[in-house]
């Protein structure tokens, strides 16, 4: 029985050796993404099995890899560890009889066209459990970022050699957490049909965190790619009546959110904005010349050699297109020269940019914005009389000489509805300030205070604190003119309130009487 078994094993061994020998010719295993062939032809896969004959178990083993070395990716600074499993056999019936032990492993690295060099490695610890041998090859610490290509050779104790295919060893940068990010868009304002490039700007710039992007409103366009340190915003296709065009006079503000997920699992989120549309509401004045260039054209990048055309559309509220005399509608700047007085009112403005490249026309389209033409006349229609009293717990009252002698001075508050008469006064007692027109500035001067009976001056300079249109202006009562509103583009309708005050510095021995000053309001064309 033993002799039959041995004969059977010998026959299998010879057959397997022939198979191995026949498999050494012309075998090349390419690496995905690489056009580097192995230095030596790769060996066919290993195989093994067993048969049981009564009390005997017979292993048959074919030289080769059961789990060949595979492409691997390793972070910078870590050891490159390559697990391998080959066929192996401890021998039958004695350990030295027909044994197939793994003796050593060698590695050669691709160094240039047709050139390979040995890569030093230590002999690994080999674990054999019939019919395989398992071991891990340590190729050292990965220092250089990039991809290398190697081929493994495994030598058995009987001198037989098996070889792997080409194995790619990729070293990626060591993990670095992002401490912050500052996403930016270039350009930050675009037309519909134009694209914007968005960069995450991780800090530090060698961060290895992964970035994902999202857009609000999501229907406004697409982000491609949806992850990575850069992406591109492409607005959706729009038709002339699209609400995004018609009902966003300042353009559609989109929010792009960048989220970085760090190697340690922590996350940071930051946002940037892109305005799609390119136009913002404009105001012009009758009698003037108006010119407007959208910010999205400063600058605009067109393909080299492209032919560019500009088409402005000016519409009345009825949406009827008009081209009044003096308008320029075919240049980057919309221009309306010497706007007539009867042109005052509301208009709608839109720009289409057409550029031709490669024999094809492409369009960028702006949103529809408003153009207000204000009447030319600037008129100061109403100014307020200003009366001040001392605020007290029981109601406002006229200050006394003792009040005025306070070391910190005396703060008086504006009183509405206090009637003043006299030919010198043309103000109203309701605290109203009305200015008609556009592009104007307003200045205020307060004369020194005097006694209305004796004309004697107050020997201190009170300070008028004028609250107007959301701002607070300090105006000394010394006759000097102070500009309180500059370059106003619209009409003004304001009213005084008790936030307007008059501070009288400490004034001892004030002669009794009524003290007043003249307030002069002056409106001028601006700028």
């Amino acid at each position: 029985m033993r002799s039959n078994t041995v004969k059977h094993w010998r026959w299998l061994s010879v057959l397997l050796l022939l198979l191995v020998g026949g498999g050494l010719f012309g075998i090349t295993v390419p690496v995905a993404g690489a056009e580097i062939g192995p230095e030596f032809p790769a060996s066919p896969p290993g195989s093994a099995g067993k048969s049981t004959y009564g009390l005997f178990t017979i292993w048959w083993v074919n030289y080769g890899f059961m789990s060949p070395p595979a492409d691997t990716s390793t972070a910078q600074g870590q050891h490159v560890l390559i697990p391998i499993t080959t066929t192996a056999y401890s021998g039958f019936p004695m350990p030295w009889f027909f044994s197939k032990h793994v003796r050593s492993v060698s590695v050669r690295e691709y160094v240039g066209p047709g050139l390979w060099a040995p890569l030093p490695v230590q002999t690994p610890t080999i674990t054999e459990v019939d019919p395989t041998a398992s071991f891990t090859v340590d190729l050292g610490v990965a220092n250089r970022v990039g991809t290398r290509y190697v081929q493994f050779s495994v030598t058995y104790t009987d001198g037989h050699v098996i070889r792997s295919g080409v194995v790619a060893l990729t070293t990626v940068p060591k993990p670095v957490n992002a401490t912050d990010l500052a996403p930016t868009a270039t350009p930050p304002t675009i037309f519909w049909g134009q694209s914007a490039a968005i960069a995450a700007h991780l800090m530090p710039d060698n961060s290895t965190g992964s970035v994902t992007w999202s857009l609000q409103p999501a229907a406004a366009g697409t982000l491609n790619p949806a992850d990575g340190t850069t992406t591109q915003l492409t607005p959706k296709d729009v038709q002339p009546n699209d609400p995004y065009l018609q009902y966003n006079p300042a353009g559609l503000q989109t929010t792009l959110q960048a989220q970085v997920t760090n190697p340690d699992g922590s996350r940071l989120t930051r946002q940037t904005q892109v305005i799609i549309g390119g136009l913002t509401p404009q105001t012009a004045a009758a009698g003037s010349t108006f010119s407007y260039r959208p910010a999205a054209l400063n600058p605009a990048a067109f393909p080299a050699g492209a032919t560019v055309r500009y088409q402005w559309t000016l519409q009345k509220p009825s949406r009827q297109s008009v081209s009044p005399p003096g308008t320029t509608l075919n240049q980057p700047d919309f221009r309306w020269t010497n706007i007539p007085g009867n042109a005052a009112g509301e208009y709608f403005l839109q720009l289409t940019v057409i550029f031709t490249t490669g024999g094809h026309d492409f369009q960028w389209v702006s949103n529809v914005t408003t153009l207000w033409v204000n009447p030319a006349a600037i008129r100061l229609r109403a100014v307020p009389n200003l009366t001040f009293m001392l605020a007290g717990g029981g109601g406002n009252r006229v200050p006394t000489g003792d009040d005025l002698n306070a070391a910190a001075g005396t703060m008086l508050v504006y009183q509405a509805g206090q009637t003043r008469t006299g030919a010198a006064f043309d103000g109203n007692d309701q605290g109203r300030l009305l200015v008609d027109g556009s592009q104007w500035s307003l200045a205020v001067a307060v004369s020194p205070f005097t006694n209305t009976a004796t004309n004697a001056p107050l020997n201190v300079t009170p300070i008028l604190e004028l609250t107007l249109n959301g701002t607070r202006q300090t105006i000394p009562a010394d006759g000097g003119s102070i500009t309180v509103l500059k370059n106003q583009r619209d009409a003004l309708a304001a009213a005084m309130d008790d936030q307007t005050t008059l501070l009288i510095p400490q004034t001892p021995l004030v002669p009794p009487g009524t003290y007043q000053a003249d307030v002069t309001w002056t409106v001028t064309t601006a700028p």
Side-chain angles (χ1 to χ4, degrees):
M1 183 70 178
R2 175 173 294 182
S3 61
N4 290 338
T5 303
V6 172
K7 288 180 180 179
H8 184 60
W9 169 248
R10 285 177 176 172
W11 177 81
L12 282 173
S13 298
V14 173
L15 175 61
L16 294 178
L17 288 174
L18 289 174
L19 287 174
V20 172
L24 289 177
F25 297 98
I27 297 176
T28 300
V29 182
V31 177
E35 297 182 359
I36 298 173
E39 183 181 20
F40 302 102
S43 303
S47 59
K50 66 180 179 179
S51 300
T52 302
Y53 297 91
L55 298 176
F56 296 95
T57 298
I58 309 299
W59 287 100
W60 53 271
V61 179
N62 180 16
Y63 294 103
F65 292 100
M66 300 297 281
S67 294
D71 295 349
T72 187
S73 179
T74 306
Q76 190 177 20
Q78 296 181 349
H79 280 261
V80 182
L81 303 176
I82 308 296
I84 299 175
T85 300
T86 69
T87 57
Y89 184 60
S90 59
F92 180 85
M94 296 297 180
W96 58 85
F97 193 63
F98 293 124
S99 64
K100 292 181 172 65
H101 296 293
V102 172
R103 183 178 67 192
S104 64
V105 180
S106 63
V107 184
R108 291 177 67 80
E109 180 178 5
Y110 178 79
V111 293
L115 300 177
W116 294 75
L119 186 64
V121 295
Q122 294 182 351
T123 300
T125 300
I126 300 171
T127 300
E128 288 193 8
V129 177
D130 289 343
T132 62
S134 298
F135 48 93
T136 298
V137 181
D138 187 343
L139 298 182
V141 176
N143 293 318
R144 188 181 63 213
V145 173
T147 300
R148 300 180 295 162
Y149 301 94
V150 298
Q151 185 175 27
F152 290 81
S153 297
V154 176
T155 303
Y156 288 84
T157 51
D158 62 1
H160 194 91
V161 179
I162 61 173
R163 294 184 172 91
S164 72
V166 176
V167 177
L169 308 177
T170 301
T171 301
V172 298
K174 62 182 178 181
V176 178
N177 284 344
T179 58
D180 205 350
L181 65 161
T184 57
T186 306
T189 301
I190 60 176
F191 296 106
W192 292 95
Q194 193 179 3
S195 295
I198 322 297
H201 295 301
L202 297 180
M203 291 175 273
D205 56 11
N206 65 335
S207 302
T208 57
S210 59
V211 178
T212 56
W213 298 89
S214 60
L215 173 68
Q216 290 295 330
T222 57
L223 293 173
N224 188 29
D227 51 24
T229 56
T230 61
T231 188
Q232 179 171 285
L233 168 61
T234 301
K236 74 161 192 168
D237 293 332
V238 288
Q239 301 301 317
N241 293 326
D242 194 297
Y244 280 141
L245 298 182
Q246 298 293 334
Y247 303 115
N248 285 293
L252 175 67
Q253 180 168 304
T254 63
T255 299
L256 294 92
Q257 178 171 286
Q259 182 179 81
V260 59
T261 301
N262 281 318
D264 66 0
S266 62
R267 293 181 178 180
L268 295 170
T269 300
R270 299 290 185 267
Q271 296 177 344
T272 188
Q273 279 72 44
V274 173
I275 297 176
I276 309 176
L279 302 189
T280 56
Q282 300 296 308
T283 302
S288 68
T289 293
F290 173 75
S291 183
Y292 174 48
R293 175 187 285 257
L297 291 178
N298 295 328
F302 298 101
T307 301
V308 185
R309 307 191 305 276
Y310 302 90
Q311 293 181 354
W312 285 95
T313 301
L314 184 67
Q315 294 181 329
K316 290 184 174 181
S318 62
R319 299 300 176 141
Q320 174 190 0
S321 295
V322 294
S323 53
T327 54
T328 301
L329 304 175
N330 61 351
Q331 296 295 321
D333 296 25
F334 171 80
R335 189 174 179 85
W336 194 347
T337 304
N338 296 326
I339 303 174
N342 60 2
E346 183 184 28
Y347 296 84
F348 296 100
L349 197 59
Q350 188 177 27
L351 172 63
T352 300
V353 181
I354 305 168
F355 58 95
T356 303
T357 182
H360 299 281
D361 286 348
F362 300 89
Q363 287 190 355
W364 293 345
V365 183
S366 78
N367 57 308
V368 176
T369 196
T370 54
L371 169 61
W372 284 93
V373 177
N374 290 319
I378 297 173
R379 186 164 62 119
L380 186 58
R381 260 197 313 135
V383 297
N385 292 324
L386 301 177
T387 300
F388 296 91
M389 297 182 71
L390 182 66
N396 297 338
R397 60 181 176 81
V398 176
T400 65
D402 289 337
D403 294 324
L404 298 177
N405 195 29
T410 306
M411 181 69 73
L412 307 181
V413 297
Y414 166 75
Q415 298 294 300
Q418 297 294 316
T419 303
R420 285 291 175 266
T421 60
F425 302 106
D426 57 357
N428 64 85
D429 294 324
Q430 289 75 44
R432 291 182 295 117
L433 175 63
L434 304 177
V435 182
D436 290 339
S438 64
Q439 294 181 320
W440 50 267
S441 296
L442 178 67
V444 179
V446 181
S447 70
F449 279 75
T450 59
N451 188 301
T452 57
T454 65
N455 207 32
L458 193 64
N459 58 3
V460 294
T461 302
I463 304 296
L464 173 64
E465 294 285 350
L466 179 65
T467 300
L468 182 63
N469 210 24
T471 63
R472 191 167 177 83
Q473 300 284 347
T474 298
I475 307 170
D478 58 5
S481 181
I482 303 294
T483 299
V484 294
L485 294 176
K486 288 186 66 175
N487 299 333
Q488 299 299 294
R489 307 186 72 177
D490 299 308
L492 173 68
M496 301 296 106
D497 57 28
D498 59 5
Q499 297 303 306
T500 293
T501 61
L502 183 69
L503 174 64
I504 302 177
Q506 183 179 19
T507 310
L509 303 175
V510 180
T514 300
Y515 289 80
Q516 68 178 29
D518 294 332
V519 181
T520 302
W521 305 79
T522 304
V523 64
T524 57
T525 302

